[in-house]
């Protein structure tokens, strides 16, 4: 990615086991995420904002990076640096504000991470795959 001009902007999400556990509810809307702590450095926030202003894409590497960036986005789609807590639960129907693309790997069935990826795919892509 660096060879193709991408800048790397590290962020941290201190996840709990709840992220990987299967959902135990009938309706995905009824699931509640536990709170987790995230950190975005001033340097990473500035780089992300600069990329956004220049019209470059924000590509999250990993679902945890998506949750951090989407949790830290504030008014006018500004990424705020610092440490915070999030219980953001992303499932189909969520409108992404910070992330334009996602690179991820395999996820456990019925996990909140599968739903996040599904939300990112959007209805149009899911309907084409059925």
């Amino acid at each position: 990615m660096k060879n193709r001009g991408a800048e790397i902007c590290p962020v941290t999400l201190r996840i709990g086991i709840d992220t990987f556990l299967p959902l135990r509810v009938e309706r995905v809307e009824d699931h509640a995420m536990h709170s987790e702590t995230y950190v975005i450095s001033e340097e990473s926030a500035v780089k992300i904002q600069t990329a956004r202003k220049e019209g470059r894409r924000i590509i999250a590497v990993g679902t945890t990076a998506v949750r951090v960036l989407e949790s830290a986005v504030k008014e006018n789609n500004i990424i705020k640096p610092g440490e915070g807590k999030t219980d953001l639960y992303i499932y189909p129907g969520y409108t992404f504000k910070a992330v334009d693309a996602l690179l991820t790997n395999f996820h456990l069935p019925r996990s909140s991470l599968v739903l996040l990826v599904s939300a990112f795919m959007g209805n149009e892509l899911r309907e084409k795959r059925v």
Side-chain angles (χ1 to χ4, degrees):
M1 289 176 58
K2 280 185 177 181
N3 291 342
R4 299 208 54 171
E7 286 185 79
I8 307 301
C9 304
V11 298
T12 300
L13 178 65
R14 295 182 184 110
I15 60 169
I17 190 70
D18 188 50
T19 296
F20 299 103
L21 291 175
L23 275 66
R24 293 186 171 98
V25 294
E26 287 292 318
R27 296 175 356 115
V28 296
E29 298 88 350
D30 295 336
H31 177 71
M33 292 290 289
H34 288 96
S35 183
E36 299 168 325
T37 303
Y38 68 87
V39 180
I40 300 177
S41 70
E42 180 75 31
E43 180 182 3
S44 287
V46 168
K47 283 183 177 182
I48 293 165
Q49 287 309 125
T50 301
R52 176 68 70 207
K53 286 178 188 172
E54 293 174 354
R56 293 184 282 144
R57 295 186 310 160
I58 307 303
I59 303 169
V61 178
T63 52
T64 55
V66 172
R67 288 194 54 228
V68 169
L69 295 174
E70 292 295 321
S71 296
V73 71
K74 303 303 176 198
E75 293 177 26
N76 301 320
N77 293 336
I78 302 288
I79 300 290
K80 184 172 177 163
E83 189 168 329
K85 288 194 177 268
T86 183
D87 60 357
L88 180 61
Y89 171 43
I90 299 174
Y91 57 90
Y94 178 83
T95 301
F96 290 85
K97 300 168 214 58
V99 177
D100 301 309
L102 166 64
L103 294 175
T104 192
N105 57 5
F106 299 103
H107 297 290
L108 296 172
R110 297 191 52 85
S111 71
S112 64
L113 302 179
V114 167
L115 291 173
L116 185 154
V117 172
S118 183
F120 202 87
M121 288 172 45
N123 288 331
E124 185 177 309
L125 183 57
R126 279 193 303 274
E127 290 169 4
K128 286 180 182 177
R129 292 206 169 262
V130 173

